[in-house]
Structures are given as structure tokens and as C-alpha cells.
């Protein structure tokens, strides 16, 4: 059965069939090969999405789209620019900082790419930055959308590996800040070397004026994250609160969301949510079948025999996930691999929350690496350029993220210090 499933999946990938359909077809052929009843497919696909925490995903997607349409994104950009926009290279630094703030509500890197990129990519080009650099910077910065809490991939890992989503969220703050500061330091030095961005401060609002304009927008992550860690509502309920708040701020206070626009936002959010849920359903069936076939246990025993220390295990997993992330969508990879790898990591004494951050940060790299990097496609769409043009400027950003990944991997305190303070045993 396992051989049939893997062969089918590889053939489907080679034929450029979508990941969700490839996994689903592989599962169907696996059921047929094992002479099991086809009702298993319906039952397990339903079980995969019949989980309360997953309700947060469509809500966070809708919240991100409402922020983009309701003028919240634009005000966050002005606020970030008022902080770092006055130095040489301040506009690229504004891009990173805005994505960091936006990520504290949206939970999605693609939503962050479109919402922030629609404003900052044209601004970067206007200030003399190459279009390819602007697109590469935006795609990389938007990766923070899946690391800074709340995060859709962290929710998926928590559900798949049965780990506290609240602990995963708070553990994502440290790695998110590390990556943000590293990217800002890199773009500052890079712009100094290239001589770019000497006029980035032109048109910048004063800090107090920008803060006043963005006040309602800045309250959003405070309410969402404060509510979660204050015990007022769960991460899933927080997603619904985010939608309600974005709708009130964008529609009533800023008055930029109109009824015709709202219909388009809802349609876009439904399509995005359906795509993710379809992936989750098919990946859930696939994970059930390979678990039933004993693949996780076999992989676990092999890893224990070959990689005989936690350090080697983490290195091997990082190398494998980096390659997998280039070809398989992040959500599907997490749902399939988390139930397999998390128990092995725990056998090596690795905290499952720490391992979750390592997995998510690593697989998030797949969003900015060819050939299937969704952030790259989104950024190229906004910048109106082809993918091949941004590779040269993309490589240094990937190396910066890889360096941060190694720090997060081998210094667990980056992720776990804040978690241990909030969730003191």
C-alpha cells in the first residue's frame, strides 16, 4: 500500500497536479491496494477537518483580507515608516516592520504579501529600488506571517501533533522578533553598501501623528494577543474577534469597507479557506493511511538508528524539511509530517513546542524558494515581474533566514523562554 501511495504521489507531482489532489489520489489508490472499504476515505477526511481549532483558519484569513481592504494595512505602513523610515534603507526596514505588525493579526503569509506589498512594492520602486529587490524583500518579510502569532501553520501543527496552540503562539514571538531584527539589520547594511535609499525619509509622517492615525489598527494585535494570553478567549475565538474588530474599524471608523467591497472580500476569503481545508482533508486521510501502515514507526526507528543524538536529528530533519518545503505546500507538509516527526523528537528529549517552531520556520522557507514558493508568486503578481528576475536578490534573504533557523534550532531558549514565563509549570 505504501509503495502504491508514494509512487502515485510522485507521478502526480511530476505531472504538476496540485498537492491536495496528488495526496488525495495517492490515498484513494492506497485504499484500493489494501482492499479496504472506500468509506474510510470519507470518514477520515471528515475527521481531519472536524476539529474546533481549525475554525480559526477561515476567520484569520477573513481578518487579513478585511485589514487589507479597510485601510488598516496602509496606516500600519505609515506607523512603521515613522519609526524606521528616516534612515538610509528605511523603506525596506519599514516593509519588514510592517509585516511583523500585520502578522500579529493575519496569521497568513500570502495575505501579508498582498496587503503590505500592494502598498510598499510601488513605494520601493518609486524611491529607486529595483523591482526585483522590492519583490524579493516583500516575499521574504511576509514569511513572518506564519511565525509571529497567531499563525495558521502553528495551529495546524498543534492540531496534528496534539500540542497546546497557546504555547506554540507565545513561543513564536522570540523567533519572529529574531528574524525581523536580522532582516532589518541586513537590509540596512545592504542599502548602505549599494547606496540605495538616501531619500527614504521623504513624505514620512511624524511619529505621534502616524501613531494617532494608526491607533485603532495598532490596538488590533494588542486585543487579540492580550485576550489569548489573558485567558479571555481561546485562539479560535480570537480569530472571530479579529474579524469583528477589522470589520468595525474598516467599515465604521475608517469607512473604507463598502457593501460591494465586502462581498468581494468574503468571496476571496471563502476560496482561500476552501483551498486550505481541502488540503487538510486529503492530508489527514494520507496521514491516517501511512500511520496504519506503520510508516511513522519505521521512520522513527530508522532515525533513531542513524541519527543517534538530538543535534544530528535536528540537522537531518532541517535538511529534509528544507527540500520538502520547496516542493510541498506548507500546510500539507505539516499535517503529514508532524504526527511522524514530533514523537521521534520527543524521544530525543526535544520539547514538542520547540520542535514545532523549527518545523514551521523551516517549512516557511518553502514559501520563498522556487519552484513552488507561494509568497514569490504573490510578490511577483503585485510587482508584475516574472519569477526568474528576483532569484539573484532572493538568495541573500534566504541565507539570512537559514542563519536564524540554525539559531532557533540549537538555542531552544529563543522560542521557549517566553513560553516558560507565561506557562510556568
Amino acid at each position: 500500500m505504501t509503495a502504491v501511495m508514494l509512487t502515485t504521489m510522485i507521478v502526480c507531482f511530476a505531472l504538476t497536479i496540485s498537492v491536495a489532489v496528488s495526496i488525495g489520489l495517492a490515498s484513494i489508490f492506497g485504499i484500493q491496494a489494501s482492499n479496504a472499504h472506500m468509506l474510510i476515505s470519507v470518514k477520515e477526511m471528515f475527521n481531519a477537518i472536524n476539529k474546533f481549532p481549525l475554525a480559526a483558519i477561515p476567520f484569520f484569513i477573513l481578518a487579513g483580507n478585511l485589514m487589507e481592504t479597510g485601510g488598516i494595512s496602509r496606516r500600519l505602513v505609515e506607523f512603521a515608516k515613522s519609526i524606521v523610515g528616516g534612515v538610509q534603507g528605511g523603506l525596506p526596514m519599514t516593509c519588514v516592520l510592517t509585516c511583523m505588525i500585520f502578522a500579529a493579526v493575519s496569521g497568513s503569509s500570502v495575505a501579508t504579501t498582498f496587503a503590505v506589498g500592494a502598498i510598499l512594492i510601488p513605494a520601493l520602486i518609486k524611491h529607486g529600488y529595483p523591482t526585483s529587490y522590492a519583490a524579493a524583500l516583500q516575499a521574504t518579510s511576509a514569511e513572518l506571517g506564519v511565525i509571529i502569532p497567531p499563525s495558521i501553520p502553528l495551529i495546524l501543527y498543534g492540531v496534528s501533533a496534539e500540542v497546546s496552540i497557546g504555547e506554540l503562539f507565545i513561543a513564536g514571538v522570540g523567533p519572529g522578533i529574531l528574524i525581523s531584527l536580522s532582516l532589518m539589520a541586513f537590509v540596512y547594511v545592504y542599502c548602505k553598501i549599494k547606496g540605495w535609499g538616501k531619500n527614504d525619509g521623504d513624505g514620512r509622517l511624524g511619529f505621534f501623528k502616524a501613531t494617532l492615525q494608526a491607533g485603532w489598527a495598532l490596538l488590533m494585535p494588542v486585543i487579540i494577543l492580550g485576550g489569548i494570553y489573558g485567558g479571555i478567549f481561546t485562539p479560535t475565538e480570537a480569530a472571530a474577534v479579529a474579524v469583528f474588530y477589522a470589520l468595525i474599524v474598516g467599515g465604521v471608523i475608517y469607512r473604507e469597507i463598502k457593501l460591494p467591497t465586502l462581498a468581494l472580500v468574503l468571496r476571496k476569503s471563502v476560496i482561500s479557506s476552501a483551498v486550505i481545508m481541502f488540503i487538510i482533508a486529503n492530508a489527514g486521510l494520507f496521514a491516517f493511511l501511512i500511520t496504519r501502515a506503520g510508516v511513522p514507526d519505521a521512520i522513527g526507528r530508522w532515525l533513531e538508528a542513524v541519527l543517534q543524538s538530538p543535534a544530528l536529528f535536528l540537522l537531518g530533519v532541517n535538511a529534509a524539511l528544507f527540500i520538502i518545503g520547496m516542493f510541498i505546500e506548507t500546510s500539507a507538509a505539516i499535517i503529514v509530517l508532524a504526527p511522524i516527526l514530533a514523537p521521534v523528537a520527543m524521544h530525543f528529549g526535544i520539547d514538542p513546542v520547540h520542535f514545532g517552531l523549527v518545523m514551521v520556520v523551516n517549512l516557511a522557507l518553502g514559501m520563498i524558494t522556487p519552484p513552488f514558493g507561494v509568497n514569490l508568486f504573490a510578490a511577483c503578481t503585485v510587482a508584475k515581474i516574472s519569477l526568474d528576475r528576483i532569484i539573484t536578490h532572493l538568495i541573500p534573504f534566504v541565507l539570512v533566514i537559514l542563519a536564524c533557523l540554525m539559531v532557533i534550532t540549537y538555542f531552544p531558549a529563543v522560542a521557549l523562554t517566553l513560553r516558560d514565563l507565561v506557562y510556568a509549570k
Side-chain angles (χ1 to χ4, degrees), residues 198-222:
K198 293 181 180 179
N199 300 316
D200 279 0
D202 294 352
R204 182 171 66 107
L205 295 177
F207 174 74
F208 290 107
K209 185 176 181 180
T211 304
L212 187 65
Q213 287 188 6
W216 289 104
L218 292 171
L219 269 178
M220 196 170 182
V222 174

Side-chain angles (χ1 to χ4, degrees), residues 288-369:
F288 168 79
L289 292 172
I290 62 172
T291 302
R292 182 179 175 180
V295 174
D297 291 336
I299 292 175
R301 287 193 298 271
W302 181 80
L303 288 172
E304 289 175 32
V306 176
L307 307 172
Q308 298 180 353
S309 72
L312 281 176
F313 170 75
L314 287 170
L315 184 63
V317 166
N318 271 325
L321 290 178
F322 180 72
I323 296 171
I324 290 169
M326 294 174 70
F327 297 96
I328 299 180
E329 201 273 334
T330 301
S331 299
I334 289 172
I335 294 167
V336 173
L337 296 175
I340 299 173
L341 296 176
V344 183
M346 292 173 67
H347 173 80
F348 279 107
I350 299 167
D351 191 299
V353 173
H354 171 227
F355 186 71
L357 266 299
V358 171
M359 273 197 75
V360 169
V361 172
N362 194 317
L363 290 170
L365 270 168
M367 297 177 175
I368 59 169
T369 51

Side-chain angles (χ1 to χ4, degrees), residues 151-216:
S151 158
I152 291 173
L154 285 177
I155 293 172
L156 295 176
Y157 174 84
V159 172
S160 302
E162 298 181 355
V163 178
S164 166
I165 293 173
E167 291 190 30
L168 287 166
F169 277 6
I170 197 70
V173 173
I177 291 174
L178 171 67
I179 293 171
S180 300
L181 294 177
S182 300
L183 285 174
M184 283 195 281
F186 171 74
V187 298
Y188 174 76
V189 173
Y190 194 75
C191 288
K192 282 281 188 181
I193 294 171
K194 290 286 188 178
W196 295 341
K198 293 181 180 179
N199 300 316
D200 279 0
D202 294 352
R204 182 171 66 107
L205 295 177
F207 174 74
F208 290 107
K209 185 176 181 180
T211 304
L212 187 65
Q213 287 188 6
W216 289 104

